[in-house]
Amino acid sequence: MLIDYRSLLIALSFSGMTALVSVLVSWLNARRDRYLLFTAIGLGLVSTGLIMMGLRNGRFDLVTLFWPFSIILVGLSFAYAGTRFFLHKSGVRAPVLVGLATLTMFNAPLLMGYWGLAFVAINAGVATIMFLCAREYWDAQHDLRGAELTNAGLFMTMAVSYALNAVATSLTGDWVNYPVNDSWFDNLNAITSLIGITGIGAMTLTLHFSRLAHRHHTEASTDSLTGVLNRRGLFERYAETVEIPGLAVLVFDLDFFKQINDKLGHAQGDFTLKTFTEVMEAQLGDADLIARIGGEEFCVILPGQGRRQAMATAERLRRAFADAALPNNRIKMLTNPFNI
């Protein structure tokens, strides 16, 4: 054949290392994104295992089988953890359990001398982890649906490839001897992995930069103290030149707010603003929109409400804030009543 299995392994390892460098550089510029770190560690371990496989020069003994495949399984477990962190799923319990299960499934028959069975197990283990990663991206509900589905498809393609390799080996019925990796099916499996790792690395970076851009836009249009929209965010949602029928607008201004800052301190003033925001969020519906348009000025958009409904909503908010548990009675005296 024009390309042998060893050459494909070397190409696959170089592809993984290239993706590793790109993802690691991205993490160095955004260290709070832990999924980049876990993905980079996973790519590094997988690439290391592949390099060890390519350098064994046809040797098949316990050492040359145990270490490369074990390192690859650990690396894939890190990649699975990175996938979960990307989708905001906390904890590494599931990846740790999957990693331990696949390592046991591979190493138990290997140490007992059933190398053919161990080969089936390693392919089944890789297929399982790939499938779990594909499911995570498939179940994702984000704005970047196209890129997430692409990643899901790449992971699933590799999962099917490794699963078929496990089935093909098991059909030979030889559970003792380790199969020679030089058939067209093994080469096809390696090519599928080469394309998959390259594509997943590219899609991961695409998702990262898209999320980063979305995060910056959100931060620019959100009030950092209260977490609601700021003036810019409000005007982006509702342009001044656009007429939107069937909604009401409430504008709130907290009276004597400057005295709270002057007499009780800015920390109490910030607490008052956050408390007022929490009261509004608790009293309003999901379709209603809150924005902070000034220091102590807020705007509320009420879709589908007329004048009377809006006045009733405003009075309900006033009463709820009057009953709020503020830490100092002087705040209540200074902020109630306030203008609507």
Side-chain angles (χ1 to χ4, degrees):
M1 299 182 64
L2 295 177
I3 303 178
D4 60 11
Y5 187 71
R6 183 184 178 190
S7 299
L8 288 172
L9 285 178
I10 294 174
L12 189 56
S13 62
F14 272 107
S15 175
M17 285 296 183
T18 302
L20 160 65
V21 172
S22 301
V23 173
L24 189 58
V25 169
S26 298
W27 174 74
L28 291 174
N29 294 317
R31 298 200 177 190
R32 66 175 176 176
D33 293 327
R34 289 186 295 174
Y35 68 90
L36 291 174
L37 176 61
F38 276 80
T39 301
I41 294 174
L43 287 170
L45 290 173
V46 170
S47 299
T48 300
L50 292 171
I51 291 173
M52 293 173 68
M53 289 175 61
L55 296 177
R56 64 189 178 187
N57 292 324
R59 288 179 55 203
F60 291 97
D61 52 41
L62 187 60
V63 173
T64 58
L65 293 177
F66 173 83
W67 285 110
F69 286 124
S70 296
I71 291 173
I72 288 173
L73 287 175
V74 173
L76 290 175
S77 299
F78 269 95
Y80 177 40
T83 300
R84 290 177 58 84
F85 278 122
F86 175 78
L87 301 174
H88 304 297
K89 294 185 177 181
S90 60
V92 295
R93 181 179 179 182
V96 168
L97 292 177
V98 169
L100 290 175
T102 52
L103 281 170
T104 302
M105 187 172 62
F106 164 67
N107 286 317
L110 182 69
L111 295 175
M112 289 188 295
Y114 294 94
W115 291 4
L117 182 58
F119 183 79
V120 174
I122 185 69
N123 280 278
V126 172
T128 300
I129 298 176
M130 294 292 103
F131 171 77
L132 291 173
C133 292
R135 191 187 67 175
E136 295 289 351
Y137 278 108
W138 180 265
D139 292 339
Q141 297 294 330
H142 296 134
D143 296 332
L144 307 170
R145 193 66 175 139
E148 289 169 344
L149 288 177
T150 301
N151 254 4
L154 290 170
F155 274 117
M156 183 57 71
T157 300
M158 288 195 293
V160 171
S161 176
Y162 281 96
L164 291 176
N165 210 12
V167 171
T169 305
S170 63
L171 291 177
T172 64
D174 188 352
W175 306 114
V176 177
N177 296 311
Y178 189 85
V180 179
N181 300 107
D182 206 16
S183 66
W184 68 270
F185 198 87
D186 295 315
N187 290 340
L188 179 62
N189 191 36
I191 292 172
T192 302
S193 300
L194 178 62
I195 296 172
I197 289 179
T198 304
I200 289 169
M203 282 295 102
T204 299
L205 291 177
T206 298
L207 288 167
H208 167 65
F209 288 119
S210 298
R211 174 180 284 185
L212 198 61
H214 178 73
R215 181 188 299 164
H216 289 163
H217 180 268
T218 300
E219 291 174 349
S221 59
T222 302
D223 177 52
S224 59
L225 176 64
T226 61
V228 300
L229 290 178
N230 58 20
R231 181 190 297 269
R232 173 181 174 177
L234 177 64
F235 288 167
E236 284 182 353
R237 294 282 189 93
Y238 298 97
E240 295 180 85
T241 58
V242 178
E243 293 186 6
I244 305 175
L247 58 77
V249 179
L250 303 179
V251 177
F252 295 91
D253 180 83
L254 282 80
D255 286 344
F256 312 114
F257 182 75
K258 185 176 184 300
Q259 296 181 40
I260 299 174
N261 285 330
D262 293 343
K263 296 181 179 181
L264 304 179
H266 287 276
Q268 295 287 11
D270 290 346
F271 181 82
T272 301
L273 293 173
K274 290 190 285 187
T275 300
F276 181 53
T277 302
E278 292 170 358
V279 167
M280 288 192 291
E281 291 175 337
Q283 294 292 324
L284 298 173
D286 294 336
D288 303 326
L289 187 145
I290 306 170
R292 183 184 177 193
I293 57 177
E296 69 274 17
E297 298 172 355
F298 292 84
C299 176
V300 177
I301 308 296
L302 303 172
Q305 291 197 19
R307 181 182 178 83
R308 289 187 178 182
Q309 287 179 296
M311 291 298 293
T313 300
E315 177 61 17
R316 187 175 75 250
L317 291 173
R318 188 194 71 79
R319 289 182 180 275
F321 185 59
D323 296 334
L326 296 174
N328 192 310
N329 289 333
R330 296 173 62 188
I331 296 181
K332 284 193 174 184
M333 293 171 58
L334 294 171
T335 56
N336 293 300
F338 55 87
N339 292 332
I340 297 176

